[in-house]
Amino acid sequence: MIPIDSKTTFVFRRCAAFLVLLVVLSGPLTAFAAEPLVLPLWSGDAPGSENIDEAEIVMDRGAGKGYRDRSIAQVHQPTVTVLLPKAKKPSAAIVICPGGGFSRVVIDKEGIDFAKFLNQHGVAGIVLKYRTAESKAHFYGISAATADVQRAIRLTRARAAAWNIDPQKIGVFGFSAGGSIASYAATHFDPGQRSSLDPVERQRCRPDFVGLGYPLVSLRNEVTGGRYQKTAFGKNPTPQQIRQYSNELHVSKNTPPSFLVHTEDDTAVPVKNTHQFAAACKDAGVPCTTFIREKGGHGYGIKDRGNPINQWPTAFVGWLKDRGLME
């Protein structure tokens, strides 16, 4: 038997990831429409994640309770899980960014479960497992996750024809800390690099619409306090960093239409995040709909806990229809 050292393993893994992505970019995937397809987000290792070989930590908080509720920490190899509806016409698609306080990705209740709900209404769900801000041995801060969400939007647009998706109806939806990177994508975007050899990087990364569930939009002390700043930026965040990632400050006339969900009694992420983003949209002339209720707390996803806030998925589907994003 030929011994395989860590360097050989690393090279093999990188080549395998590239081959998978190459196959995905080269032809239609109609055979996969009924089953979720998990793909590497980048060809090879993500930029800034080279030579990192640290295992993910997966904890299923729903184990023994009859449902899956996985929390994934130490993410260095971001992926997208593609769930496509059975549709004859090209559908809208939503890149879904689960929450997790930047330190983990709550992949089921704020990801896969939401994608399945969207499929029932003829919308594709693209669940992003983005790089977490820190692990035992490495610190990214928030910048890796924002690069991942922009890449996921580009990838979805690059695969629109193969996945039977309308490239003009690709949105993003983020929950909690995932709302931070989703609102970043809605306020920081570019038309793509036309000269790039990577067909994905040639795509624009502006979402056509945005949804935010109990979102962490701002990292300013006066909006959210400083509880997330250390995870997002390290021990000594600068005013420039805080301003760059406080997305209510970057809303412009080019920000896409938005739908926001929040409760007044949310103690994890204050509802002021939603109020300020909505106010900024109004000032910029950007359509913005808010679904705010008095009670419901935080982290409910699409679960119905018997509170008025838990009717938001129905309201969101209505909003999509009203905007011509689904039939």
Side-chain angles (χ1 to χ4, degrees):
M1 181 179 292
I2 300 174
I4 300 177
D5 58 21
S6 60
K7 183 176 180 180
T8 303
T9 302
F10 165 75
V11 172
F12 176 79
R13 188 182 68 204
R14 183 167 186 170
C15 291
F18 176 77
L19 288 172
V20 170
L21 189 59
L22 185 64
V23 170
V24 168
L25 290 174
S26 63
L29 292 175
T30 53
F32 294 98
E35 295 293 334
L37 177 68
V38 182
L39 303 173
L41 182 62
W42 302 85
S43 56
D45 291 299
S49 297
E50 297 86 356
N51 299 312
I52 296 176
D53 192 13
E54 189 176 28
E56 293 180 353
I57 299 174
V58 182
M59 179 174 63
D60 191 347
R61 300 175 297 183
K65 300 177 183 178
Y67 58 88
R68 296 189 86 181
D69 183 13
R70 290 169 295 166
S71 171
I72 307 175
Q74 297 193 165
V75 178
H76 298 291
Q77 299 176 38
T79 64
V80 288
T81 300
V82 182
L83 291 94
L84 302 176
K86 294 180 180 179
K88 295 181 179 180
K89 296 181 179 179
S91 70
I94 299 179
V95 173
I96 304 169
C97 307
F102 300 128
S103 61
R104 61 196 185 281
V105 179
V106 183
I107 197 74
D108 292 307
K109 74 170 184 176
E110 294 174 349
I112 302 296
D113 294 346
F114 185 40
K116 291 178 179 178
F117 169 82
L118 292 172
N119 282 182
Q120 293 171 3
H121 295 276
V123 176
I126 316 297
V127 183
L128 173 62
K129 184 181 71 175
Y130 52 87
R131 283 172 287 176
T132 45
E134 60 183 344
S135 65
K136 291 181 179 179
H138 191 79
F139 182 81
Y140 295 111
I142 192 176
S143 60
T146 54
D148 288 347
V149 69
Q150 291 179 329
R151 174 75 178 188
I153 294 168
R154 296 188 209 274
L155 178 61
T156 304
R157 198 159 272 130
R159 294 303 299 139
W163 293 346
N164 197 27
I165 288 170
D166 187 334
Q168 304 299 320
K169 295 180 180 180
I170 296 174
V172 63
F173 197 113
F175 294 89
S176 193
S180 178
I181 66 173
S183 59
Y184 185 92
T187 52
H188 301 75
F189 40 78
D190 62 64
Q193 302 174 30
R194 296 301 179 187
S195 61
S196 176
L197 297 177
D198 183 347
V200 175
E201 290 301 308
R202 293 199 291 265
Q203 301 295 324
R204 63 185 176 92
C205 64
R206 178 188 179 273
D208 297 307
F209 58 96
V210 58
L212 302 172
Y214 36 92
L216 177 64
V217 172
S218 182
L219 286 161
R220 292 189 293 156
N221 289 327
E222 56 266 41
V223 180
T224 309
R227 63 186 299 180
Y228 298 103
Q229 290 178 4
K230 182 179 178 181
T231 307
F233 307 121
K235 294 181 179 179
N236 300 299
T238 66
Q240 292 78 14
Q241 286 176 316
I242 293 171
R243 177 175 178 80
Q244 181 182 357
Y245 292 94
S246 292
N247 300 313
E248 78 281 10
L249 302 178
H250 302 283
V251 172
S252 71
K253 64 180 182 180
N254 296 318
T255 298
S258 59
F259 179 95
L260 287 82
V261 179
H262 224 130
T263 62
E264 298 285 356
D265 69 347
D266 190 333
T267 58
V269 176
V271 70
K272 192 173 183 179
N273 283 268
T274 285
H275 287 315
Q276 293 226 345
F277 191 84
C281 287
K282 182 178 180 181
D283 289 344
V286 173
C288 179
T289 297
T290 58
F291 191 89
I292 299 174
R293 298 295 183 267
E294 182 180 359
K295 296 181 180 181
H298 187 84
Y300 35 84
I302 64 167
K303 291 184 180 296
D304 188 352
R305 296 178 177 174
N307 294 310
I309 191 65
N310 301 134
Q311 300 305 309
W312 76 262
T314 301
F316 180 59
V317 167
W319 182 81
L320 292 173
K321 290 180 179 179
D322 290 344
R323 300 208 62 81
L325 296 166
M326 59 175 290
E327 295 182 358

